[in-house]
């Protein structure tokens, strides 16, 4: 790996010189700090240009560095390539002198590398243990899908507490609202569950992407691990696509109704798709709940050409009658409109908590009727809405056995065996 | 009626004189004020003794006045009898000079009679109309079961607004929090939906017993009546016990599950039983809701030897799996106990909103199993709890057809046709 990276850095430097671009070529992330987790495949190379030059000049270097590449876009464009078994990102940024005056978030990275590299010497193994533990339980990575701990965050935690074991022990007294401020900068006010003040940019919370649930999951897993250490925390049993027999047995035990919305997802990076998968689930759950179909849990997955939204229902058949609450009785105009609606009334109007209420015939007695009618009018995320609306297929109950995609079966397996930490018997 | 009452008053006076008891014999309530609603059967006679004498001396007069009687108890004992087609209450009280220094609530009644009698001349018909309207729609009476307007309250409303029609018109702008203060006493702070300061005792809210829903019902019914006046508001179609065929058709349309708890009620006055019927319903609804059985509506009735609690369910069969939320993960001791509970886990533990959650096998998949097991441990009201626990019978779905009691069928009829005001087509 080191030789491969060394060659890349050297060639990038040559290309810049030959084109008259003053450019610092900086290896970013864990590879530069000796905290590179085996099995990771990510190499980040930053091409830092002076502020009076254009990022596009650095992009040109990136394109020439690896001919077979694609251009991706985060805050700015960058070059992505698969090369020698690695996922390579070549990221243009500006050389700046003060990280509190950034042009873009990536400009901060060289400062992070410098801060950590100078202090982590001798603690690299502790960082690797912490990363491997977090990866094993599924809280490693600050991308939106995971909402976990970034590599930089794990490094700062080890710098704060001194070792892998010390971080785990400390977590026993962590609560949401915890503030860690290594350089005693004093922090701006953040509302995230964990605030780690960035040593190189005090206004920034390094743990901004960490969700409450991943924060809690780490605390819980650390407690389980300290009570009964086991290698499964680092090397969990890999999830396998669920076989027909396993799926049948799970459905027989749970006796719920699983509904799957299958669709063709748009071709977008995970950090854009994932929040929309969450939004789509929330919209559909709220529709189902409003109409009286109680949802136990839901899940969403996009994998290549297919996307799935899954809803597990506790209630999927409702009676003919439905309670329809109206306005407070003293709002006369509203009351008149409510009473004039054209419908078959089974009971009422009667009064409940000051409101007029009627019991009417229910329109949707089954969730599939509801979804077929109303899915198209829900807000399912900017890019997902059109994809889902244009063509979705609804599967329910035993019908989901007919979805043969191994990606779907893997998604189902993870959905059903969802665990915050390994089981004792694993 | 007048002659009958006159004779009673005279005889009571004679009895008091013959026994040397200084006693004012006062006709109370509407009979004394010319606002006596035809069809009413209540006559209240107050025997007012000086404060240095004993109420028991007046009770003795009452007992002799009507030999066939029973003794009842509210704040103090009183004599009740059915005589000549009337329900007669003979109530001992103290003659006091200032109604703000009462010995008991009944001592206030002569002051009410005096206040109204002196002012209502010429408006008696307006009071009768208002009472009849309120009785017709079901908001007349301050007993707990109705939670409506007392006779004294209707009289004060007519004094305030001047006529039946004016009260209805005024109600279009009524809102919860309304204060009516005829004598500009300035009121103590009350939290009831309607506050009518008692002209003879400013600390008291004459409308204290009026519930928000009966207040709203009057406002709504007044609006409907003014838009389309009809005698049905005064003379509603009498409720008839539901016939088998009507019950079958209602159940077929609603497609809900009706569960009835039948029990032997204790022999107590309605004002004691009724709040306990409400409490019992609330306890059972909350148990059903907690376990996932969604309740559309409930009702309760006591009639002679039998009592019934009715629950109409939207959901009455649940899947095998149940979500069981645990403590926040950072509460380590609680987490340990939660994880050590002995149970079959279908999914989890996973994290939701910072809490550990497991999905386990559900214990109660049907409401009848739940109620048979747990009804005995619920708090169902001081006197009702032991009655219900000692022997209850559970009916569900079509089984309720087998309850032949006409009182039950009348209760069912009222439950199903519940209306805040008459329908246009009635």
């Amino acid at each position: 790996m080191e030789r491969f990276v060394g060659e890349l850095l050297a060639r990038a430097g040559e290309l810049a010189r030959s084109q008259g671009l003053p450019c610092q070529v900086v290896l970013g992330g864990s590879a530069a700090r000796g905290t590179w987790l085996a099995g990771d495949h990510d190499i980040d190379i930053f091409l830092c240009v002076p502020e009076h030059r254009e990022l596009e000049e650095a992009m040109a270097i990136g394109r020439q560095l690896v001919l077979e590449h694609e251009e991706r876009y985060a805050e700015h464009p960058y070059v992505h390539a698969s090369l020698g078994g690695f996922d390579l990102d070549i990221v243009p940024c500006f050389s700046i002198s003060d990280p509190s005056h950034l042009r873009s978030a990536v400009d901060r990275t060289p400062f992070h590398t410098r801060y950590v590299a100078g202090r982590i010497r001798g603690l690299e193994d502790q960082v690797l243990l912490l990363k491997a533990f977090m990866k094993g339980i599924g809280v490693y990575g600050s991308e939106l899908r995971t909402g976990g701990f970034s590599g930089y965050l794990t490094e700062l935690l080890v710098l704060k507490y001194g070792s892998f074991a010390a971080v785990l022990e400390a977590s026993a007294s962590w609560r949401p609202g915890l503030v860690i401020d290594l350089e005693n900068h004093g922090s701006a006010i953040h509302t995230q569950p964990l605030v780690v003040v960035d040593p190189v940019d005090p206004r920034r919370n390094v743990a901004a992407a960490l969700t409450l649930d991943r924060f809690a999951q780490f605390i819980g897993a650390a407690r389980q691990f300290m009570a009964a250490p086991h290698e499964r925390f680092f090397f969990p049993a890999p999830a396998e696509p669920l076989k027909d027999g396993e799926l049948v047995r799970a459905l027989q035990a749970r006796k719920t109704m699983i509904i799957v919305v299958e669709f063709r997802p748009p071709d977008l990076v995970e950090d854009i798709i994932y929040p929309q998968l969450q939004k789509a689930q929330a919209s559909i759950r709220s529709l189902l709940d409003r109409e009286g179909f109680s949802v136990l849990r839901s899940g969403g997955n996009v994998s290549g050409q297919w996307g799935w939204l899954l809803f597990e229902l506790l209630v999927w058949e409702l009676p003919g009658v439905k309670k329809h609450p109206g306005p407070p009785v003293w709002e006369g105009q509203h009351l008149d409109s409510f009473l004039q609606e054209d419908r078959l009334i089974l009971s009422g109007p009667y009064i409940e908590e000051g409101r007029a209420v009627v019991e009417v015939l229910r329109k949707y007695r089954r969730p599939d009727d509801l979804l077929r009618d109303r899915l198209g009018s829900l807000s399912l995320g900017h890019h997902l809405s059109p994809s889902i609306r244009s063509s979705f297929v609804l599967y329910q109950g035993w019908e989901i056995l007919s979805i043969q995609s191994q990606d779907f079966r893997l998604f189902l397996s993870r959905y059903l065996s969802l665990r915050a930490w390994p089981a004792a018997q694993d």
Side-chain angles (χ1 to χ4, degrees), chain A residues 256-366:
Chain A
T256 48
M257 167 69 80
I258 291 182
I259 294 194
V260 171
V261 179
E262 187 182 63
F263 61 96
R264 295 282 193 172
D267 185 20
L268 291 166
V269 297
E270 206 171 57
D271 261 12
I272 292 183
I273 286 278
Y274 186 75
Q276 297 187 24
L277 274 179
Q278 296 295 97
K279 179 174 174 51
Q281 282 174 63
S283 290
I284 296 175
R285 283 181 74 140
S286 144
L287 172 70
L288 288 165
D289 277 336
R290 261 196 325 272
E291 296 289 329
F293 302 105
S294 160
V295 179
L296 177 77
R297 187 144 60 91
S298 68
N301 192 262
V302 161
S303 167
Q305 298 219 304
W306 296 103
W308 300 281
L309 295 167
L310 180 156
F311 303 90
E312 188 174 14
L313 300 183
L314 293 176
V315 174
W316 57 91
E317 194 168 359
L318 288 169
V321 66
K322 177 185 172 173
K323 190 180 275 190
H324 181 47
V329 169
W330 46 88
E331 295 179 4
Q333 302 284 337
H334 294 148
L335 178 66
D336 292 345
S337 321
F338 177 72
L339 296 177
Q340 278 153 25
E341 285 174 35
D342 182 35
R343 63 194 154 206
L344 181 65
I345 292 178
L346 297 182
S347 290
Y350 57 83
I351 314 290
E352 213 172 66
E353 289 169 35
R355 291 173 178 274
V357 176
V358 292
E359 289 171 8
V360 295
L361 275 186
R362 183 183 299 275
K363 186 163 180 197
Y364 300 107
R365 297 191 52 211
R366 298 167 50 95

